[in-house]
Amino acid sequence: MPPGGGGNRDAAPAMHVLMLPWLAFGHIVPFAQLARRLLASSSSVRVTFVTAAGNVPRVEAMLSSASSSAGGRVSIVPLRLPHVPGLPEGAASTAELSLDGAELLKVALDGARPQVAALLAELRPDAVLLDFATPWAADDAAALGVKSLQFSVFSAIAGAYLVVPARRPEGASPPPSARDLMSGPAGFPASSPLAATGVPAYQAADFTYVFTSFGGQPCVYERVVAGIRACDGVVLKTCADMEAAYVDYLAAQFRKPVLTAGPLVPDPPRGDELLDERWATWLSAFPDGAVVFASFGSETFLPPAAATELLLGLEATGRPFLAVLNSPDDGGGAAVVVTPPGFKERVSGRGIVHSGWVQQQHILRHRSVGCYVTHAGFSSVVEGLVAGCRLVLLPMKGDQYLNAALFARELRVGVEVARRDEDGWFGRHDVCDAVAAAVANDGGGGDDARKKWTDFFTDDAVQGKFADEFVRQLREIVSTAPS
């Protein structure tokens, strides 16, 4: 039966999937999205979601709709993280930690291995979906005869560029330098725009983090590769329609089955959830498509100088704008940047700078919002396209740089802010120019390219097929005898 065909698909045998994401909400959210898709795709799938105890209330909220309709087929299990010197008591996610604290959180999660092993032995799930941070979970699952797959929440282009064996062949030492990382690894898809140009120096320097060990712990690259080698397969949050060459390259590099779960388009806001009156009133004062919305997610922060140039660039557009800017230690309340002299007076009535959480999907879908300045997080870009916004891409770290290349140069649905190669500096005029290009009729790849991908992401039948096909492939792996 073809995927998405309905019929007797729920007559398939029961399948229990245990999920263990890394303790960052940029990872937890995609795992929760995939859990909802699995539960909706088949009434014979059961999910156990494992996370630190402090994250349970937010995860419960993410899975509440699935819980109510799944009839007890989803459960959330809290982990008690052991004390690690230097890690704040009760820390449960990277959202409340410095960069050093996030590294200590990996040590704490490693320390919870006995709890995870005991849970696996008790539940004996059919499959474990684990994240990059816990390669040991694949070993513990294999010892029980349980199949495991590493679920990458990043784009395939990011994995293909950074964390393949070709980046660090067996026995290679030292790790790749920033200069090495300016070009793709051996065999990187020739069809990629990065095959010819590579990446600028400032991006390559940022990528060295992936190969850097902190406190003698395995680096990100080592955790990713060890986990995949120990697993029975890889799951990617993408599809061949978007990233076929990179999916194929990853499969060839690791010689493992690669399953694609689709882009996991965020669920639309619930019908009973209304935009806060403050924002609804302010946005409604402007014509359709007039407002520029700038937001960089919950864990991406602009340095003060960059935030200032962004704000002056938004001012220079002459358009109304809402800029949401946060810092890693402001608790969602304090102002992030001291605005330039006279700025607030000059933009009074048409520009707002806000710190803290906002209803991003609601704002993006408001009729007056026409342009979205984003850090190019994969899910954020998809949210912008689903809402029909024109995109300006201003990546600040890691996979965001590679996402921007994918969406702007391959899929041609956005405009990248011009940057200086050596240090990534951008000025107010670069921001203003990128917004102008995005809102022009030929912004990015033109309206046709943007409409193509907006239609793709909003087609429920297409997205449903991804879930059905993923469940089918996962069942195949589960039913395969141990090698």
Side-chain angles (χ1 to χ4, degrees):
M1 181 174 61
N8 64 351
R9 67 182 181 180
D10 288 339
M15 181 170 63
H16 182 192
V17 179
L18 185 143
M19 294 186 167
L20 179 62
W22 164 232
L23 303 176
F25 281 96
H27 292 243
I28 293 171
V29 170
F31 269 77
Q33 289 175 324
L34 182 56
R36 292 198 298 267
R37 293 298 172 88
L38 290 174
L39 294 165
S41 177
S42 173
S43 62
S44 58
V45 173
R46 183 160 60 98
V47 172
T48 296
F49 201 103
V50 182
T51 189
N55 300 326
V56 167
R58 285 187 64 178
V59 174
E60 287 176 339
M62 293 176 196
L63 296 178
S64 61
S65 60
S67 300
S68 60
S69 61
R73 290 186 291 115
V74 57
S75 58
I76 303 167
V77 177
L79 290 178
R80 300 177 306 279
L81 298 184
H83 173 70
V84 173
L87 186 66
E89 195 68 33
S93 79
T94 59
E96 60 231 39
L97 297 173
S98 66
L99 294 177
D100 289 340
E103 297 303 324
L104 293 176
L105 192 61
K106 291 175 185 173
V107 178
L109 186 56
D110 287 341
R113 179 176 183 176
Q115 295 176 59
V116 175
L119 188 64
L120 289 171
E122 175 190 351
L123 298 179
R124 299 291 179 117
D126 298 291
V128 176
L129 296 187
L130 55 92
D131 212 329
F132 82 96
T134 54
W136 41 261
D139 294 327
D140 293 345
L144 297 168
V146 174
K147 299 296 175 67
S148 65
L149 299 94
Q150 186 174 119
F151 176 32
S152 172
V153 304
F154 301 106
S155 57
I157 188 176
Y161 195 90
L162 289 174
V163 289
V164 290
R167 267 296 176 207
R168 197 173 185 184
E170 290 290 343
S173 183
S177 66
R179 180 173 291 276
D180 295 330
L181 293 169
M182 289 179 69
S183 56
F188 188 73
S191 59
S192 171
L194 299 182
T197 65
V199 301
Y202 76 94
Q203 295 183 12
D206 181 85
F207 293 160
T208 60
Y209 161 77
V210 174
F211 302 89
T212 302
S213 172
F214 296 87
Q217 296 297 313
C219 65
V220 169
Y221 175 85
E222 291 165 340
R223 287 180 185 263
V224 170
V225 172
I228 292 177
R229 285 176 171 161
C231 279
D232 298 283
V234 180
V235 179
L236 300 176
K237 192 188 78 166
T238 189
C239 58
D241 306 75
M242 299 171 64
E243 300 190 89
Y246 306 113
V247 173
D248 292 344
Y249 179 62
L250 286 165
Q253 280 283 299
F254 286 104
R255 299 179 182 178
K256 299 272 185 177
V258 174
L259 287 63
T260 56
L264 298 180
V265 176
D267 295 330
R270 291 187 348 214
D272 59 345
E273 293 180 351
L274 300 178
L275 179 59
D276 286 349
E277 184 177 353
R278 172 191 178 183
W279 302 122
T281 299
W282 188 80
L283 290 170
S284 296
F286 301 104
D288 291 0
V291 176
V292 180
F293 176 55
S295 179
F296 294 83
S298 60
E299 296 187 27
T300 296
F301 312 109
L302 274 65
T308 295
E309 292 301 318
L310 170 70
L311 294 178
L312 291 173
L314 293 174
E315 177 190 358
T317 67
R319 292 175 169 270
F321 65 86
L322 168 59
V324 179
L325 299 174
N326 294 305
S327 64
D329 58 353
D330 71 354
V336 174
V337 62
V338 176
T339 54
F343 175 80
K344 291 182 179 179
E345 292 75 17
R346 293 194 304 271
V347 302
S348 178
R350 73 169 177 94
I352 293 181
V353 182
H354 176 76
S355 294
W357 181 82
V358 296
Q359 297 163 286
Q360 179 163 296
Q361 283 200 65
H362 288 76
I363 290 172
L364 287 170
R365 291 166 183 255
H366 194 279
R367 60 158 186 82
S368 71
V369 175
C371 181
Y372 178 28
V373 182
T374 171
H375 59 302
F378 196 94
S379 295
S380 292
V381 171
V382 172
E383 281 186 8
L385 287 170
V386 167
C389 294
R390 299 176 186 274
L391 302 177
V392 171
L393 307 177
L394 185 55
M396 299 305 296
K397 62 181 179 180
D399 64 301
Q400 297 167 10
Y401 296 125
L402 299 164
N403 295 342
L406 171 70
F407 284 106
R409 295 176 233 170
E410 291 195 64
L411 305 185
R412 302 186 63 78
V413 294
V415 175
E416 295 173 273
V417 174
R419 313 278 280 272
R420 195 159 61 193
D421 282 356
E422 59 267 31
D423 60 5
W425 183 90
F426 63 90
R428 62 203 70 176
H429 299 300
D430 300 308
V431 174
C432 183
D433 290 347
V435 171
V439 300
N441 288 335
D442 60 349
D447 284 345
D448 289 345
R450 186 169 57 87
K451 185 177 185 304
K452 168 191 170 182
W453 289 105
T454 296
D455 291 346
F456 176 80
F457 291 132
T458 55
D459 189 323
D460 291 339
V462 170
Q463 302 305 320
K465 286 181 180 180
F466 288 137
D468 291 349
E469 179 64 7
F470 173 70
V471 170
R472 185 192 67 77
Q473 291 180 316
L474 185 58
R475 288 188 186 281
E476 285 185 359
I477 289 180
V478 165
S479 65
T480 301
S483 56

